């Protein structure tokens, strides 16, 4: 019998919100909290304990207690459903109505419908995103823009598979209160989507598919497996219809790839190389481990750096050994429809990135813009031909050690004044956009989301606390950063205009940036204090 919980909505009334926040749907979300929030809380406490041990030892390693799982050659993940076997191009983006239509019309095999890093968790976005997903699944979605343009789904013969990314385990949802506490964002996002769409998707020959972000251990993957099993049983759906792809975007998860797949083996579809959050995680985890873990300018750290090569090659080998898909990282470059030279350079960078991934054995990859879909498709078409994937490439040549994954010190590049200024400007511009309700922002011809903002502020924190010197020989201090903030904000104001600047969220963005970049104590996630500044 389902446990009765007290659940109430404290957020403002959202258009069509009653369709999503029905009594039955909220009861289901409440059940998930009664069963799984206590374990979520325990796992977050374990994160803190593990990070403290890393701070003490300066080390991470593969787990001795799960060695038998890694060495057992017999187990495999579940067979992928038909509409998840070809994932050569995946487009990502938030679930606002226009983006939903554009993503589904872009010609990609998969749309990562993002309720996490590219989505500001304003209550209107949380509920409105669920409305848009439900409409899109039923192919009832359209949009009229303020400038009069009309958007609708095209019937081009290709059905793009929807894979939803809920929030990570660490984020709460204060607009829903369960038994007197803010709800767990992950359970809200998953629960509302699954309740309203699981039967509909199965009737349409698909299923409920998820990307799981920010996992730091196989125990956190096990909790998701338990959530999935309960949800299927509760709604009378056969076990194993849910599929999950896990983003390996934290350094502790990189040491537990096999165990994560094992815990989710009835549901697992693959792993993704979440490169930007992965960089953020390395900085966060080893922020106080000395100069060997201080990275150069963000834009100087490429996927050819030794520690990044180790990470991606281990991911491909792990996935294919277990029958799971390996999905490449985000092409964040934004092409220009106005500047042919900028566009040519952008497309060349994306092509080179995707060629490297296809050659390494990835089964597909991410892009952030519809204009990049043809480039990614062309590269993987040339490599795969008529094959849907390259699961047969086992990469038995790969042998990655703990030392390889932690070899940050071999990364070429330096810390420059230009890199410091770029980090400051990107963080300020992104946070102002985020506070305004948009979690994905085009800045300096790159699509920035919370992950890249995290890198920018974390690098600055690490540089300050390691007394890192710039290429100008000046030591990075909090006072220097504040001076750069003054200058970069003045430059932004000159570019956007006084009126736009005054109407924006730049003062609050500065306050937030300085809180997470210049404080003595490091904030684990900037999105947690940022959440306190929005409705």
């Amino acid at each position: 019998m389902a446990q009765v919980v007290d659940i109430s909505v404290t957020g403002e009334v959202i258009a069509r919100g009653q369709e999503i926040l029905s009594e039955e749907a909220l009861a289901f979300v409440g059940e998930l909290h009664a069963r799984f929030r206590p374990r979520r809380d325990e796992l977050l406490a374990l994160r803190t304990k593990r990070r403290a041990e890393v701070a003490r030892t300066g080390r991470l390693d593969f787990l001795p207690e799960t060695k038998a799982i890694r060495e057992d050659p017999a187990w495999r993940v579940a067979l992928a459903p038909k509409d998840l076997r070809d994932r050569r191009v995946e487009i990502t983006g938030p679930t606002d109505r226009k983006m939903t239509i554009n993503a589904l019309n872009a010609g990609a095999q998969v749309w990562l419908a993002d309720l996490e890093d590219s989505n500001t968790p304003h209550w209107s976005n949380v509920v409105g995103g669920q409305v848009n997903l439900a409409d899109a699944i039923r192919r009832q979605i359209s949009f009229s823009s303020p400038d009069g343009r009309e958007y609708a789904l095209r019937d081009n013969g290709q059905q793009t598979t929807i894979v939803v990314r809920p929030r990570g385990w660490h984020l709460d949802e204060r607009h829903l209160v369960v038994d007197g506490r803010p709800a767990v964002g992950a359970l809200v996002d998953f629960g509302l989507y699954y309740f309203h769409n699981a039967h509909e998707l199965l009737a349409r020959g698909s299923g409920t598919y998820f990307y799981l972000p920010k996992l730091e251990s196989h125990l956190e993957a096990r909790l998701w497996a338990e959530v999935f099993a309960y949800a299927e049983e509760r709604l009378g759906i056969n076990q194993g219809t849910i599929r999950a792809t896990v983003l390996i975007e934290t350094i502790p998860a990189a040491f537990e790839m096999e165990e994560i797949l094992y815990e989710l083996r009835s549901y697992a579809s693959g792993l993704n190389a979440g490169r930007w959050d992965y960089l953020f995680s390395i900085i966060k985890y080893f922020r106080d481990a000395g100069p060997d873990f201080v990275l150069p300018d963000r834009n100087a750290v490429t996927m050819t750096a030794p520690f990044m090569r180790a990470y991606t090659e281990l991911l491909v080998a792990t996935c294919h050994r277990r029958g799971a898909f390996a999905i490449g990282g985000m092409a964040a470059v934004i092409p220009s429809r106005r500047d042919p030279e900028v566009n040519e350079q952008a497309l060349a960078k994306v092509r080179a990135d995707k060629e490297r991934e296809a050659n390494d054995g990835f089964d597909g990859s991410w892009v952030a813009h519809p204009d990049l879909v043809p480039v990614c498709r062309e590269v993987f078409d040339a490599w795969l031909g008529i094959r849907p994937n390259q699961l047969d490439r086992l990469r038995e040549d790969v042998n990655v050690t703990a030392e390889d994954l932690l070899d940050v010190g071999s990364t070429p590049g330096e810390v420059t004044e230009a890199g410091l200024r770029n980090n400051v400007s990107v963080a300020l511009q992104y946070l102002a956009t985020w506070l305004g309700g948009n979690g994905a922002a085009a800045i300096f011809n790159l699509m920035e989301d919370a992950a890249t903002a995290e890198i920018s502020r974390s690098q600055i924190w690490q540089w300050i606390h390691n007394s890192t010197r710039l290429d100008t020989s000046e030591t990075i201090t909090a006072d220097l950063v504040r001076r750069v903030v003054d200058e970069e904000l003045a430059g932004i104001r000159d570019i956007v205009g006084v009126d736009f600047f005054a109407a924006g969220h730049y003062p609050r963005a500065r306050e937030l940036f300085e809180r997470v970049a210049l404080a003595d104590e490091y904030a684990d996630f900037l999105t947690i204090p940022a959440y306190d500044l929005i409705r």
Side-chain angles (χ1 to χ4, degrees), residues 187-355:
L187 295 178
V188 172
D189 296 342
F190 166 80
L192 292 176
Y193 179 74
Y194 191 76
F195 183 85
H196 288 293
N197 301 298
H199 286 289
E200 181 72 25
L201 283 162
L202 288 171
R204 290 173 176 268
S206 186
T208 41
Y209 309 143
F210 298 93
Y211 259 111
L212 304 181
K214 306 289 191 294
L215 295 191
E216 293 194 11
S217 75
H218 69 286
L219 299 178
E220 296 179 17
R222 181 184 299 170
L223 179 58
W224 270 117
E226 292 168 355
V227 171
F228 294 159
Y230 174 77
E232 288 174 331
E233 180 182 8
R234 170 67 171 74
L235 295 192
I237 293 173
N238 291 336
Q239 184 180 13
T241 59
I242 292 173
R243 285 293 182 274
T245 304
V246 176
L247 293 114
I248 301 300
E249 54 186 356
T250 69
I251 183 64
F255 285 89
E256 299 184 37
M257 293 187 200
E258 295 225 44
E259 294 91 331
I260 287 169
L261 286 176
Y262 180 80
E263 294 294 346
L264 284 161
R265 60 195 179 279
S266 297
Y267 301 104
S269 177
L271 303 177
N272 170 271
R275 60 177 72 168
W276 304 116
D277 264 304
Y278 189 72
L279 282 177
F280 158 51
S281 176
I282 286 176
I283 298 167
K284 177 169 72 172
Y285 242 71
F286 295 99
R287 61 186 180 268
D288 45 17
D292 285 346
F293 284 90
V294 174
L295 285 165
D297 290 355
R298 177 190 122 182
N299 292 338
V301 183
T302 70
M303 297 306 295
T304 61
F307 78 101
M308 295 300 281
R309 289 292 294 155
Y311 151 65
T312 54
E313 294 209 312
L314 178 61
L315 188 148
V316 173
T318 300
C319 284
H320 288 183
R321 185 182 183 211
R322 302 305 182 181
F325 301 119
I327 308 299
M330 168 74 78
V333 177
I334 302 296
S336 173
R337 295 174 178 176
R338 298 180 179 178
D339 189 328
E341 184 176 349
V342 170
N343 192 58
E344 183 179 349
Q345 292 173 355
L347 296 182
K349 288 180 180 179
V350 173
R351 184 178 302 277
D353 183 53
K354 302 312 169 191
E355 286 176 344

Side-chain angles (χ1 to χ4, degrees), residues 34-338:
R35 288 176 174 265
F36 303 112
R37 180 161 61 184
R39 182 55 176 161
R40 190 284 307 240
D41 294 345
E42 292 173 356
L43 290 172
L44 292 186
L46 284 176
R47 286 186 180 183
T48 302
K49 182 178 179 181
R50 188 179 194 185
R51 155 60 198 159
E53 181 66 10
V54 169
R56 186 183 69 82
T57 64
R59 281 287 299 175
L60 269 172
D61 209 336
F62 298 98
L63 300 177
E65 62 267 29
T66 55
K67 185 178 180 181
I69 292 173
R70 296 194 299 275
E71 293 185 347
D72 181 356
W75 64 269
R76 297 287 188 277
V77 302
L79 183 68
K82 184 178 180 180
D83 59 345
L84 266 186
R85 293 177 191 172
D86 186 338
R87 304 177 61 171
R88 66 188 68 196
V89 187
E90 301 193 354
I91 188 168
T92 75
T95 54
D96 64 86
R97 208 157 181 86
K98 178 182 172 182
M99 178 63 197
T100 296
I101 296 167
N102 286 343
L104 293 174
N105 286 341
Q109 277 73 26
V110 168
W111 172 40
L112 185 155
D114 195 12
L115 303 175
E116 197 225 12
D117 268 2
S118 67
N119 181 63
T120 304
H122 284 69
W123 185 232
S124 58
N125 289 344
V126 172
V127 178
Q130 294 282 351
V131 170
N132 297 337
L133 286 167
D135 286 351
I137 288 165
R138 293 158 180 82
R139 300 194 66 80
Q140 298 171 349
I141 189 169
S142 61
F143 176 69
S144 299
S145 69
D147 61 10
R149 284 185 287 183
E150 299 291 331
Y151 297 82
L153 293 180
R154 292 196 296 264
D155 187 8
N156 56 9
Q158 176 182 336
Q159 292 290 317
T160 300
T161 300
I162 297 174
V163 182
V164 170
R165 177 162 69 170
R167 281 168 282 184
W169 282 127
H170 62 288
L171 292 171
D172 286 339
E173 176 51 70
R174 67 169 180 262
H175 301 99
L176 274 181
V177 177
V178 181
D179 288 338
R181 291 177 54 194
V184 177
L187 295 178
V188 172
D189 296 342
F190 166 80
L192 292 176
Y193 179 74
Y194 191 76
F195 183 85
H196 288 293
N197 301 298
H199 286 289
E200 181 72 25
L201 283 162
L202 288 171
R204 290 173 176 268
S206 186
T208 41
Y209 309 143
F210 298 93
Y211 259 111
L212 304 181
K214 306 289 191 294
L215 295 191
E216 293 194 11
S217 75
H218 69 286
L219 299 178
E220 296 179 17
R222 181 184 299 170
L223 179 58
W224 270 117
E226 292 168 355
V227 171
F228 294 159
Y230 174 77
E232 288 174 331
E233 180 182 8
R234 170 67 171 74
L235 295 192
I237 293 173
N238 291 336
Q239 184 180 13
T241 59
I242 292 173
R243 285 293 182 274
T245 304
V246 176
L247 293 114
I248 301 300
E249 54 186 356
T250 69
I251 183 64
F255 285 89
E256 299 184 37
M257 293 187 200
E258 295 225 44
E259 294 91 331
I260 287 169
L261 286 176
Y262 180 80
E263 294 294 346
L264 284 161
R265 60 195 179 279
S266 297
Y267 301 104
S269 177
L271 303 177
N272 170 271
R275 60 177 72 168
W276 304 116
D277 264 304
Y278 189 72
L279 282 177
F280 158 51
S281 176
I282 286 176
I283 298 167
K284 177 169 72 172
Y285 242 71
F286 295 99
R287 61 186 180 268
D288 45 17
D292 285 346
F293 284 90
V294 174
L295 285 165
D297 290 355
R298 177 190 122 182
N299 292 338
V301 183
T302 70
M303 297 306 295
T304 61
F307 78 101
M308 295 300 281
R309 289 292 294 155
Y311 151 65
T312 54
E313 294 209 312
L314 178 61
L315 188 148
V316 173
T318 300
C319 284
H320 288 183
R321 185 182 183 211
R322 302 305 182 181
F325 301 119
I327 308 299
M330 168 74 78
V333 177
I334 302 296
S336 173
R337 295 174 178 176
R338 298 180 179 178

Side-chain angles (χ1 to χ4, degrees), residues 292-418:
D292 285 346
F293 284 90
V294 174
L295 285 165
D297 290 355
R298 177 190 122 182
N299 292 338
V301 183
T302 70
M303 297 306 295
T304 61
F307 78 101
M308 295 300 281
R309 289 292 294 155
Y311 151 65
T312 54
E313 294 209 312
L314 178 61
L315 188 148
V316 173
T318 300
C319 284
H320 288 183
R321 185 182 183 211
R322 302 305 182 181
F325 301 119
I327 308 299
M330 168 74 78
V333 177
I334 302 296
S336 173
R337 295 174 178 176
R338 298 180 179 178
D339 189 328
E341 184 176 349
V342 170
N343 192 58
E344 183 179 349
Q345 292 173 355
L347 296 182
K349 288 180 180 179
V350 173
R351 184 178 302 277
D353 183 53
K354 302 312 169 191
E355 286 176 344
R356 174 190 51 76
E357 289 179 330
N359 182 66
D360 283 348
F362 282 94
D363 301 290
S365 192
W366 281 10
V367 298
H369 193 282
D371 287 357
L372 299 180
V373 169
V375 181
C376 187
R377 179 188 290 277
E378 181 181 335
V379 169
F380 277 91
D381 281 354
W383 189 268
L384 295 175
I386 62 172
R387 296 178 297 156
N389 51 63
Q390 48 183 335
L391 287 177
D392 56 333
R393 282 194 67 196
L394 298 182
R395 292 304 310 271
E396 293 175 338
D397 58 306
V398 172
N399 180 28
V400 172
T401 66
E403 288 71 22
D404 295 329
L405 290 172
L406 298 177
D407 185 18
V408 174
S410 296
T411 306
E414 59 181 343
V415 180
T416 70
E417 181 182 351

Side-chain angles (χ1 to χ4, degrees), residues 3-19:
Q3 183 174 345
V4 177
V5 299
D6 177 35
I7 182 167
S8 59
V9 179
T10 62
E12 62 186 330
V13 176
I14 306 299
R16 296 179 59 196
Q18 72 281 2
E19 299 173 27

